[in-house]
Amino acid sequence: MEDTRSVASLMDSTSSKIQQLQKAFAELESQRAVTLNLKWKELEEHFHGLERSLKRRFHELEDQEKEYETKTRKAQELLEKKKAAVEAKEKAALERLQKKRDAAMFTINSALDKYNNAPVSKPSVGERWPQNAVEDSSNVFAADSITDDNPDGIVQDVQISPVMGNYEVKAYPQLLKLCGDMDSTGLHKFVSDNRKNLASLKEEIPMAFRAAANPASLVLDSLEGFYPMEAPTADGKKDANLLGMRRTCIMLMECLSILLSGLDRNSLAVVLSQNVKHRAKTIAEGWNPLLESLDMDACNGNSLEAHAFLQLLATFAIVADFKEDELLKLIPMVSRRRQAAELCRSLGLAEKMPGVIEVLVNSGKQIDAVNLAFAFELTEQFSPVSLLKSYLIEARRSSPQGRPGNASPAVQDEFNERELIGLKTVIKCIEEHSLEEQYPVEPLHKRILQLEKAKADKKRATEPMKPQPKRPRGAQPRVTDNNNNINNNKTGYGRVIPERYPQYVYDNRPFLSGPIMAAQPPPPPPPQTYTFNPAPAHGNFYANCYQYQAPPPPPYFH
């Protein structure tokens, strides 16, 4: 700005300089004999031209400076708006995260209060626990009976358990009796009969375990038959009864874990005694060789056998007895199950999850990798959007688009169905983890509509034409409802519609009788006829109902 002001002051002083030069030139001209008037005019025009050129250039520079300032100001305003938008998004994300944290903490605290609402201290000699702690069962696990002579925790003439605390089962009181009787077979059958209400069962079973003399032994008893001793007649994966029994075993171990999470260290050592752990280890060692025949690709991340084995180790705290590498190989076999993340934490494998996620990505299970990345907060190392896009690329790569048209229709339908399933899976993952801003779903929905429309068109083209019903030959009687017509007609005249083929008028001949004709069905009744009877009145009428005056009758003569 100071340079601009100095240039403007110099330009303003140009006129005064020119006047001073004119005076000096006039003095010089007066001292010379030859006049210099013509030369001065040329000099004056030259200086005025320079002045105009400088002013024009100066104004151009001022306009450019103003335009630059305007652009700078707009850019600063745009940057401020973007900064405010980013701050607003960060604030909204922090608020959502805080809500999720608060909800998680509330759920954890509620569960802890629900399953750990009774004191754990042992009663003194002769002191009895509250009656409401055992009002539904008389065979409760007793901490007083855990001694060196009784390491399994079997009840010995006691009825009260300070370890288990208070319990109450509202929806399914029968669970208390089954657990109190240590009836693992009946418990399996009860869960199978009430499989439609698994959510409420999972809340009630941990409470009902408090009524068992030894809940850990009850769960171990329920694992009998997980691998049938007799050779199955069909594939185990297709046996509905076996699959249901295995799911029940996994659920019972999960419910026992919930019960154990509400106990302190001393009570936990009482329930999970050394004999119980040894028995669980024996079962796990029997299962471990059977897992070697499992194929990771065939399991598709949903292996019940691997899940049950890992849940057995986590529930009964026997992870240290097995190699960590063997456990890590089993994680991809259960990656699709919803309990996978919590199971990995229970097994102490949280630090090894980056390697597990890398294995999932390399094996084409990007969806499971995204879920585990969010569960263990590894989204910076494994970008969810990049993983989802690579999953879609692989799904579309298997489709026949862009290839020579040598694929059979059946193969093309299979590829299209695979791509359709992949698109729906990606959209579900995006919605579950709120990735709509980073990965818009509108193009995916459009592609789904295209595939579904092509599938529907092809199905309509391949469906056989439905044969139309044949019309019966011969004349069909025309049925008319004269009663309705009479009701609808205010005048009371019914509309008689003649039949297409009227009745033969000679069917009522008298000679059509005898034994031969008697076997024939009776003829139909004659058609209904309608007569018009005018109301009685005095006088005579013509046939058209007009009255006429008749002459009086002649007198009667006797």
Side-chain angles (χ1 to χ4, degrees):
M1 295 299 294
E2 294 179 357
D3 295 338
T4 304
R5 293 176 181 175
S6 61
V7 171
S9 61
L10 289 175
M11 291 180 64
D12 294 338
S13 63
T14 304
S15 301
S16 61
K17 297 292 184 180
I18 293 175
Q19 292 177 1
Q20 293 178 5
L21 182 61
Q22 184 180 4
K23 290 179 181 180
F25 196 81
E27 293 179 357
L28 181 63
E29 185 180 4
S30 62
Q31 293 178 3
R32 293 176 61 88
V34 183
T35 177
L36 299 177
N37 188 19
L38 182 61
K39 295 181 178 180
W40 167 245
K41 288 182 180 180
E42 293 177 357
L43 290 174
E44 186 177 10
E45 291 178 358
H46 174 68
F47 282 117
H48 282 298
L50 290 176
E51 181 181 7
R52 287 192 298 270
S53 177
L54 289 174
K55 286 183 178 180
R56 184 175 65 254
R57 183 61 180 168
F58 178 72
H59 291 314
E60 290 178 357
L61 291 175
E62 283 185 340
D63 294 339
Q64 291 178 0
E65 184 179 3
K66 290 180 181 178
E67 184 179 359
Y68 175 75
E69 290 178 354
T70 303
K71 291 182 179 180
T72 305
R73 185 174 61 257
K74 290 182 179 179
Q76 290 179 353
E77 291 176 356
L78 183 61
L79 287 176
E80 290 178 356
K81 290 181 180 179
K82 290 184 177 180
K83 183 178 179 181
V86 171
E87 291 178 353
K89 289 181 180 179
E90 290 180 353
K91 185 177 180 181
L94 290 175
E95 290 178 355
R96 290 196 300 268
L97 181 60
Q98 187 63 34
K99 289 180 180 179
K100 291 182 179 179
R101 288 180 178 176
D102 295 341
M105 292 300 298
F106 177 77
T107 304
I108 293 173
N109 293 332
S110 300
L112 290 176
D113 293 341
K114 185 176 180 180
Y115 297 113
N116 193 19
N117 55 0
V120 186
S121 58
K122 293 180 64 177
S124 59
V125 178
E127 182 182 357
R128 296 185 62 86
W129 287 86
Q131 183 66 23
N132 58 357
V134 291
E135 58 184 359
D136 293 329
S137 175
S138 62
N139 187 16
V140 183
F141 183 87
D144 293 340
S145 63
I146 306 300
T147 60
D148 295 337
D149 298 333
N150 184 26
D152 289 334
I154 304 301
V155 176
Q156 295 180 348
D157 299 331
V158 291
Q159 296 181 350
I160 303 171
S161 171
V163 176
M164 293 294 103
N166 296 331
Y167 56 90
E168 182 180 3
V169 178
K170 298 179 180 179
Y172 303 99
Q174 187 178 358
L175 283 174
L176 290 176
K177 184 177 185 305
L178 293 174
C179 294
D181 296 341
M182 297 289 289
D183 186 1
S184 60
T185 304
L187 187 60
H188 264 286
K189 186 178 183 304
F190 182 83
V191 173
S192 178
D193 294 341
N194 296 273
R195 186 163 293 279
K196 294 183 179 180
N197 303 319
L198 282 182
S200 58
L201 278 178
K202 288 182 179 180
E203 294 180 359
E204 299 283 348
I205 290 177
M207 294 293 194
F209 277 161
R210 299 172 182 266
N214 194 336
S217 296
L218 175 62
V219 173
L220 291 176
D221 293 339
S222 68
L223 301 181
E224 184 179 356
F226 191 90
Y227 286 99
M229 298 300 296
E230 66 277 2
T233 57
D235 188 3
K237 295 182 179 180
K238 298 180 182 179
D239 190 352
N241 295 329
L242 182 59
L243 292 177
M245 190 272 291
R246 288 177 175 177
R247 292 191 182 97
T248 303
C249 293
I250 294 174
M251 188 187 71
L252 293 177
M253 287 190 286
E254 292 175 351
C255 293
L256 181 61
S257 298
I258 295 174
L259 175 66
L260 298 178
S261 63
L263 303 179
D264 60 359
R265 182 177 300 179
N266 296 331
S267 302
L268 188 62
V270 167
V271 178
L272 296 180
S273 60
Q274 294 298 325
N275 282 0
V276 169
K277 288 186 176 182
H278 178 72
R279 185 182 172 191
K281 182 181 177 182
T282 303
I283 296 175
E285 290 176 349
W287 288 1
N288 194 16
L290 301 176
L291 299 175
E292 297 178 357
S293 60
L294 293 178
D295 185 7
M296 184 176 68
D297 296 333
C299 293
N300 199 18
N302 195 21
S303 172
L304 294 177
E305 296 89 340
H307 186 184
F309 177 77
L310 296 175
Q311 188 66 51
L312 178 64
L313 303 187
T315 302
F316 292 91
I318 54 176
V319 185
D321 297 331
F322 296 86
K323 296 181 180 179
E324 189 179 69
D325 296 338
E326 296 179 356
L327 303 182
L328 291 173
K329 292 179 181 179
L330 297 177
I331 298 299
M333 298 183 184
V334 297
S335 58
R336 184 160 293 185
R337 302 189 67 81
R338 58 179 179 80
Q339 306 96 330
E342 188 62 30
L343 193 58
C344 292
R345 292 191 182 95
S346 302
L347 295 172
L349 303 177
E351 297 181 356
K352 303 294 182 179
M353 292 314 297
V356 175
I357 295 176
E358 191 71 28
V359 172
L360 293 174
V361 173
N362 295 334
S363 59
K365 298 180 179 180
Q366 290 87 348
I367 302 298
D368 300 341
V370 171
N371 294 331
L372 291 180
F374 272 100
F376 291 94
E377 299 181 356
L378 297 174
T379 54
E380 294 182 358
Q381 184 176 353
F382 300 95
S383 174
V385 176
S386 300
L387 293 177
L388 293 177
K389 288 182 178 180
S390 64
Y391 177 78
L392 276 184
I393 289 173
E394 292 185 3
R396 290 169 180 169
R397 188 178 300 168
S398 61
S399 64
Q401 295 180 357
R403 294 182 179 182
N406 55 358
S408 62
V411 175
Q412 186 176 0
D413 293 342
E414 181 181 356
F415 287 155
N416 291 341
E417 187 68 22
R418 191 181 307 170
E419 183 181 358
L420 186 62
I421 295 174
L423 288 169
K424 292 181 180 180
T425 304
V426 169
I427 291 175
K428 182 180 179 181
C429 185
I430 291 173
E431 293 175 350
E432 286 180 353
H433 300 293
S434 303
L435 296 174
E436 290 85 352
E437 296 181 359
Q438 304 177 25
Y439 197 172
V441 297
E442 287 79 8
L444 305 181
H445 283 295
K446 291 181 180 179
R447 179 59 180 164
I448 288 177
L449 292 177
Q450 293 177 358
L451 293 175
E452 289 181 345
K453 184 177 182 299
K455 181 179 179 181
D457 294 342
K458 191 168 185 179
K459 184 178 180 181
R460 284 196 297 268
T462 55
E463 283 183 352
M465 295 295 294
K466 294 183 178 180
Q468 296 183 356
K470 295 182 179 180
R471 297 180 61 182
R473 296 183 179 181
Q476 300 296 320
R478 187 173 181 181
V479 180
T480 58
D481 192 356
N482 293 330
N483 296 329
N484 292 337
N485 293 331
I486 294 173
N487 295 333
N488 295 332
N489 194 347
K490 296 181 179 180
T491 59
Y493 296 99
R495 181 168 176 259
V496 180
I497 302 177
E499 295 181 356
R500 184 175 180 181
Y501 298 96
Q503 182 183 3
Y504 188 57
V505 295
Y506 297 105
D507 286 345
N508 297 329
R509 286 172 291 182
F511 59 82
L512 293 177
S513 61
I516 298 177
M517 300 305 298
Q520 300 294 330
Q528 185 178 0
T529 59
Y530 297 89
T531 59
F532 176 75
N533 297 321
H538 298 285
N540 300 317
F541 295 87
Y542 290 108
N544 56 3
C545 300
Y546 283 95
Q547 188 177 9
Y548 65 94
Q549 187 70 27
Y556 179 74
F557 296 96
H558 296 281

